[in-house]
């Protein structure tokens, strides 16, 4: 297995609250990895730690390693801005910027100094990848908030991939969407697997089963079990995993 992201004895605290406990996880390259578990078990914290957004949280403290292609992203000489470019993030609720559709996608590129024809080409490519181009090509100057909720989430995905990341983290990207739009986003996620390593947090176990290649089960900050999705769902090794999958707690 070609590993893209690896956490080694990862521990996270919010003040005195110990949220993640000795999490060691190997995330395969160019695959979809789902993280499941009950509310409050540390799933979102794990994502925030993987691209160092956790450092924006007051009182947060991280111990252990997060390796990207074998390099610890928490080493003192690592550029955090470059880490967040290489590891993009899509949040639970669509969060378009208070800007035009075009500027939403172009934002990260412009920070990097991309301008002119090259900028337009990057924006068009990202919008085509997420299936929005034909819907918005004649209204690029309109605010991103004018789009439907499902289109806003695709716009946010386009913003994430425009800067050409290697990893995309998705924190319950379908929880605010209707079933039809959820299916469209799931199809997009499966398509993106051809080019990106994807980690998705989801409360929807059916969704994890449908779209992911590997699944990790978190409980009370600990990684209870990790493995190929079909194997974990059909023949879990741990009693706690089996109890969760069978609905004995949520």
């Amino acid at each position: 297995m070609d590993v893209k992201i690896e956490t080694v004895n990862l521990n996270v605290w919010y003040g005195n609250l110990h949220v993640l406990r000795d999490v060691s996880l190997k995330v395969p390259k160019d695959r979809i990895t789902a993280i499941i578990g009950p509310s409050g078990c540390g799933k979102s914290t794990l994502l925030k730690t993987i691209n160092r957004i956790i450092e924006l949280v007051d009182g947060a403290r991280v111990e252990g390693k997060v390796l990207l292609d074998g390099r610890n992203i928490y080493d003192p000489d690592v550029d955090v801005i470059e880490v967040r470019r290489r590891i993009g993030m899509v949040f639970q609720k669509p969060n378009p910027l208070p800007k035009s559709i075009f500027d939403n996608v172009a934002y990260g590129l412009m920070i990097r100094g991309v301008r002119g024809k090259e900028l337009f080409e990057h924006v068009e490519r990202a919008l085509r990848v997420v299936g929005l181009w034909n819907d918005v090509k004649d209204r690029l100057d309109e605010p991103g908030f004018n789009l439907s909720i499902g289109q806003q989430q695709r716009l946010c995905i386009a913003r994430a991939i425009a800067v050409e990341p290697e990893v995309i983290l998705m924190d319950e990207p379908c929880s605010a969407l209707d079933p039809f739009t959820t299916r469209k986003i799931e199809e997009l996620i499966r398509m993106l697997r051809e080019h990106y390593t994807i980690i998705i947090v989801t409360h929807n176990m059916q969704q994890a089963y449908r779209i992911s290649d590997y699944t990790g089960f978190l409980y009370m900050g600990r990684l209870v079990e990790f493995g190929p999705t079909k194997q974990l769902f059909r023949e879990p090794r741990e009693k706690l995993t089996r109890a969760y999958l069978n609905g004995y707690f949520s």
Side-chain angles (χ1 to χ4, degrees):
M1 180 175 68
D2 192 359
V3 175
K4 185 66 178 179
I5 295 278
E6 181 177 1
T7 68
V8 182
N9 297 328
L10 185 63
N11 287 268
V12 177
W13 289 263
Y14 295 139
N16 293 324
L17 181 62
H18 198 173
V19 182
L20 292 180
R21 299 171 178 268
D22 297 318
V23 174
S24 293
L25 169 69
K26 293 183 179 181
V27 176
K29 182 179 180 180
D30 296 338
R31 295 290 184 269
I32 300 172
T33 295
I35 305 297
I36 63 172
S39 297
C41 69
K43 302 187 299 296
S44 295
T45 296
L46 177 60
L47 292 194
K48 292 174 184 176
T49 307
I50 286 174
N51 76 341
R52 292 183 61 172
I53 287 180
I54 193 72
E55 294 175 323
L56 304 177
V57 179
D58 288 341
R61 179 165 59 92
V62 178
E63 290 185 3
K65 295 180 180 180
V66 177
L67 307 178
L68 174 61
D69 292 331
R71 175 79 186 277
N72 184 15
I73 66 171
Y74 284 89
D75 281 347
D77 59 340
V78 171
D79 183 352
V80 65
I81 302 301
E82 180 64 10
V83 167
R84 292 174 187 159
R85 183 200 67 79
R86 294 177 67 189
I87 307 176
M89 184 93 173
V90 176
F91 295 92
Q92 180 175 1
K93 293 182 179 179
N95 61 337
L97 303 171
K99 297 176 179 290
S100 69
I101 293 169
F102 182 90
D103 285 347
N104 260 274
V105 183
Y107 181 75
L109 295 163
M110 293 178 67
I111 289 176
R112 296 173 61 198
V114 181
R115 296 290 189 274
K117 181 180 178 182
E118 183 183 2
L119 178 65
F120 187 89
E121 289 174 347
H122 276 79
V123 170
E124 179 181 348
R125 173 189 170 275
L127 289 170
R128 284 189 182 279
V129 167
V130 302
L132 267 184
W133 177 251
N134 289 335
D135 294 334
V136 303
K137 62 182 179 182
D138 297 322
R139 45 193 292 220
L140 293 173
D141 292 333
E142 291 186 17
F145 291 113
N146 283 8
L147 298 174
S148 70
I149 293 296
Q151 288 175 323
Q152 287 182 30
Q153 192 64 299
R154 282 192 280 165
L155 181 69
C156 294
I157 296 173
R159 186 175 69 209
I161 67 176
V163 295
E164 300 180 341
E166 300 162 34
V167 179
I168 303 175
L169 309 177
M170 296 185 169
D171 192 358
E172 298 191 60
C174 301
S175 64
L177 307 179
D178 61 79
F180 176 80
T181 307
T182 292
R183 187 168 70 249
K184 291 293 185 182
I185 295 294
E186 287 181 0
E187 291 172 358
L188 172 59
I189 293 171
R190 283 194 292 266
M191 184 270 291
L192 292 174
R193 173 179 54 188
E194 298 177 11
H195 305 285
Y196 307 96
T197 300
I198 298 173
I199 307 175
I200 179 171
V201 159
T202 179
H203 271 103
N204 187 329
M205 288 186 284
Q206 291 80 13
Q207 180 178 76
Y209 187 83
R210 283 193 301 267
I211 71 172
S212 69
D213 303 291
Y214 291 84
T215 296
F217 170 50
L218 271 180
Y219 183 70
M220 296 185 69
R222 297 188 183 277
L223 183 64
V224 176
E225 185 166 350
F226 179 81
T229 294
K230 299 297 187 290
Q231 175 183 310
L232 185 142
F233 275 81
R234 294 172 182 173
E235 298 179 358
R237 299 188 306 272
E238 303 295 331
K239 290 181 180 179
L240 194 59
T241 309
R242 189 177 305 114
Y244 180 70
L245 295 175
N246 288 332
Y248 288 110
F249 60 92
S250 60

